[in-house]
Amino acid sequence: MTTSIGITRAHTNIALIKYWGKENKELFIPMNSSLSLTLEAFYTDTKVELSDTLTEDEFYLNGAKQDEAAIAKITRFLDLFRTETGDTRRARVESLNFVPTAAGLASSASAFAALAGAMNEATGLNMPAQKLSTYARRGSGSATRSLFGGFVEWNKGDSNENSMAIPVDDANFDIGMIIIVVSAAEKKISSRAGMELTVSTSPFYEGWVTSAATDLADIKEAIKDRDIHRIGSIAEFNGMKMHATMLASNPPFCYFEPESIVAQQTIRTIREERGIPAYFTMDAGPNVKVICKASDIPAILEELGKVFPSEKLIPTLPGEGIRTLTEDEWNA
Ligand code: DP6
């Protein structure tokens, strides 16, 4: 019997310039380049064990055996590596999601980045992170950016080989995020389905693609200058434009819930009346993410705490890229 093991930790990321729409659905080549911040507080640990005694792939998430549909998704992803290596051994995959309870942020980004990392190790391919990001991408687009820490660009590219992550800045300055948990329920329209509907029906989509390119160039300058006002305002503008494309889809759809609007208004008030730089972004769900200075987190939490229960507010600092875990770390 031959067994090979790989264990990897990957953190999730939140896009400041969003990925919304695929140019190539099979290869996950996006319509526009995007940029995110990797987060410390949310991550996935994944262990892959390749063994010639297994007859099919197995997948356990937080200790629970997953159903056939979930395994089929994993198998399709692992097949990318099997094609590359010619090693057809089946895998036992165990994943642990470290997401504060009820955050509703169980993320495909950290999941596929961690699985790609563990597979990279178990197969002995040992690809550098940038090349590995082209594999993670084909599990879920946003996973591309979770290979690296800090601010990360996903350069859209135009082929399987060059649609990849580029580390932009390690975010080693006064910046953080607060997640406002509006709902932890599973989203009704997946990002995959939502972006597809938007691309094919929204008359605003073209405007989204062109303006996202401008936003990306601008935010990279703002990051270079460590200018939190500009980083935040560009991200807020970009996020709202993405949601505007959905309102104009046919049929129209919207991820906002009443509490999301309350959160947005509270952030604006904190910014305008308290003079604290705080900006928001939202993804394919009702939760609101606040972009702010790390040093302002206590003051912002105090203000938000007047409107939201404290367990719905999760602060985090920037996180690191993927890393290998030892068996001891995994068993701890
Ligand atoms: C709104 O990466 O979840 O969070 O590639 O189809 O798996 P698939 O989609 P996914 O989409 C993320 C969309 C977003 C914006 C972003 O993270 O850039």
Side-chain angles (χ1 to χ4, degrees):
M1 174 177 111
T2 62
T3 307
S4 318
I5 289 176
I7 315 174
T8 296
R9 171 169 299 174
H11 291 254
T12 197
N13 70 77
I14 298 295
L16 303 183
I17 305 300
K18 306 296 185 187
Y19 145 54
W20 196 248
K22 293 180 181 68
E23 195 173 279
N24 182 319
K25 272 183 264 177
E26 198 213 326
L27 292 176
F28 290 72
I29 302 197
M31 287 284 204
N32 65 284
S33 296
S34 55
L35 182 141
S36 59
L37 183 63
T38 302
L39 302 183
E40 186 188 40
F42 312 93
Y43 56 92
T44 302
D45 286 351
T46 292
K47 178 178 182 178
V48 165
E49 221 176 315
L50 296 173
S51 167
D52 51 15
T53 61
L54 291 170
T55 53
E56 48 194 50
D57 294 325
E58 294 174 5
F59 177 35
Y60 299 83
L61 180 59
N62 297 330
K65 195 173 171 52
Q66 299 298 294
D67 64 16
E68 273 179 30
I71 293 171
K73 242 172 143 179
I74 298 279
T75 295
R76 264 197 305 277
F77 185 70
L78 301 184
D79 282 347
L80 299 173
F81 290 83
R82 294 185 179 119
T83 307
E84 179 68 31
T85 57
D87 178 350
T88 56
R89 282 178 298 169
R90 302 287 108 182
R92 178 187 164 90
V93 177
E94 287 173 79
S95 282
L96 298 170
N97 267 338
F98 293 86
V99 175
T101 343
L105 286 174
S107 155
S108 57
S110 56
F112 280 103
L115 183 56
M119 215 32 202
N120 191 36
E121 231 182 288
T123 56
L125 273 171
N126 298 323
M127 291 179 266
Q130 193 159 59
K131 173 134 198 248
L132 189 58
S133 76
T134 68
Y135 282 73
R137 191 193 75 228
R138 294 175 71 181
S140 186
S142 51
T144 313
R145 299 181 307 239
S146 272
L147 271 285
F148 294 107
F151 291 103
V152 184
E153 179 180 347
W154 170 14
N155 184 260
K156 75 175 280 302
D158 56 13
S159 72
N160 185 39
E161 288 70 39
N162 69 12
S163 183
M164 55 167 61
I166 301 171
V168 166
D169 186 291
D170 59 11
N172 197 5
F173 60 93
D174 192 7
I175 189 158
M177 267 196 191
I178 300 169
I179 315 298
I180 306 175
V181 180
V182 166
S183 165
E186 187 108 352
K187 46 198 169 196
K188 287 184 240 38
I189 306 173
S190 69
S191 30
R192 196 162 298 178
M195 65 176 81
E196 200 176 332
L197 180 64
T198 310
V199 174
S200 56
T201 65
S202 179
F204 295 172
Y205 192 71
E206 214 178 294
W208 157 257
V209 174
T210 29
S211 76
T214 311
D215 294 346
L216 177 65
D218 290 350
I219 208 166
K220 288 203 303 202
E221 285 304 311
I223 291 167
K224 229 183 255 165
D225 295 344
R226 291 169 164 28
D227 183 337
I228 190 79
H229 285 282
R230 271 167 60 219
I231 294 171
S233 56
I234 296 164
E236 192 172 296
F237 179 41
N238 181 269
M240 289 302 253
K241 279 187 290 191
M242 176 185 75
H243 289 279
T245 65
M246 305 174 204
L247 293 176
S249 290
N250 193 8
F253 66 105
C254 180
Y255 290 109
F256 295 4
E257 282 179 16
E259 290 284 281
S260 316
I261 312 266
V262 172
Q264 294 179 6
Q265 279 164 350
T266 310
I267 306 300
R268 282 197 198 96
T269 307
I270 291 172
R271 183 161 83 218
E272 284 157 16
E273 287 172 19
R274 292 280 315 268
I276 300 171
Y279 297 85
F280 61 84
T281 189
M282 288 178 63
D283 294 294
N287 298 332
V288 176
K289 291 105 183 182
V290 187
I291 303 142
C292 60
K293 288 185 180 174
S295 58
D296 283 332
I297 286 178
I300 297 171
L301 284 177
E302 198 186 316
E303 289 299 320
L304 289 173
K306 295 173 186 165
V307 185
F308 296 94
S310 61
E311 68 271 17
K312 301 281 183 194
L313 304 172
I314 308 165
T316 175
L317 294 175
E320 53 182 17
I322 63 161
R323 75 173 175 94
T324 301
L325 298 184
T326 62
E327 286 269 3
D328 283 349
E329 285 176 298
W330 171 262
N331 292 322

